[in-house]
Amino acid sequence: MKTIRLRVGIALLASSLTTVTMAQVTTPAMPTAPASPTVGGAIKDTSITPGSAATPTTPADADGSTAHLDKAVAALDKGDKTTTTQELQAGIRGLEAEAQAKPTSFKDKLLAQASKLKALLPLIPTGALGNGILGKAVSLAKLASGGNKLEGILAAGSLLGKGSQLTSGLSGIGSALSGLGGGSSAGQSLISTALATVGKLDQGGMVAKAAEPAAKSQISSVLNLVKGVL
């Protein structure tokens, strides 16, 4: 009987040791479960960060360039030579960037006006630059910029849905002509007519389609007027 009990005890002990051994083998695998999501999360964060950092900063557009030029005139009128220089330099850089980014038949005229503005920079610290001279030079630059902008829109094709862009360009040209002394009454009338026509391009349907041919013709006439002034 003692021999039988001893054998049974040995068998139970062996079984217990097997169970403990299996538990020890499988237990270390448990901590690896959360490791995968953590690594995956880190990869996602890394891929997003370069994407947002790689977004380039666009150069100043035509409206931004002319805004700097207007600020330069206003600063000179107040006698602020430092701000005049800074704003004029920013406007010149914008005009040059526009000429390269959106080249049209106005490219050379735009660069020429930017060059004339550069020639005025040395006169600012000495006080030799009058507000009238700078104002006229800025108006000519704004004419070239407006012409470049409008011709770029025409070259892109259909004018449907572009009424607001064309209105901005035409208004800028009208303002520049006024800065040069008002321009001819015929020229201002031409711009007013074009503004009324392009306003229909955003209305959609047959109204917009019917207005498009007239808008192209009138804008082309305005561009010829601008080239004549420049």
Side-chain angles (χ1 to χ4, degrees), residues 106 139 142-148 150 167-180 188 191 219 222-223 225-226:
F106 280 87
S139 293
K142 289 168 69 176
L143 271 183
S145 176
N148 188 68
L150 285 182
T167 296
S168 176
L170 288 167
S171 297
I173 289 175
S175 174
L177 287 175
S178 297
L180 291 171
Q188 293 291 355
I191 292 175
I219 292 172
V222 171
L223 292 177
L225 169 68
V226 172

Side-chain angles (χ1 to χ4, degrees), residues 113 131-141 179-180:
Q113 295 305 320
N131 196 283
I133 296 175
L134 179 60
K136 183 177 181 180
V138 165
S139 293
L140 289 171
L180 291 171

Side-chain angles (χ1 to χ4, degrees), residues 8-69:
V8 171
I10 293 172
L12 290 174
L13 178 61
S15 176
S16 299
L17 290 174
T18 301
T19 302
V20 171
T21 302
M22 292 178 63
Q24 290 176 343
V25 172
T26 56
T27 299
M30 296 298 289
T32 61
S36 178
T38 302
V39 175
I43 293 174
K44 286 184 178 180
D45 293 340
T46 303
S47 62
I48 290 173
T49 302
S52 58
T55 303
T57 302
T58 57
D61 59 14
D63 293 334
S65 301
T66 55
H68 283 298
L69 297 179

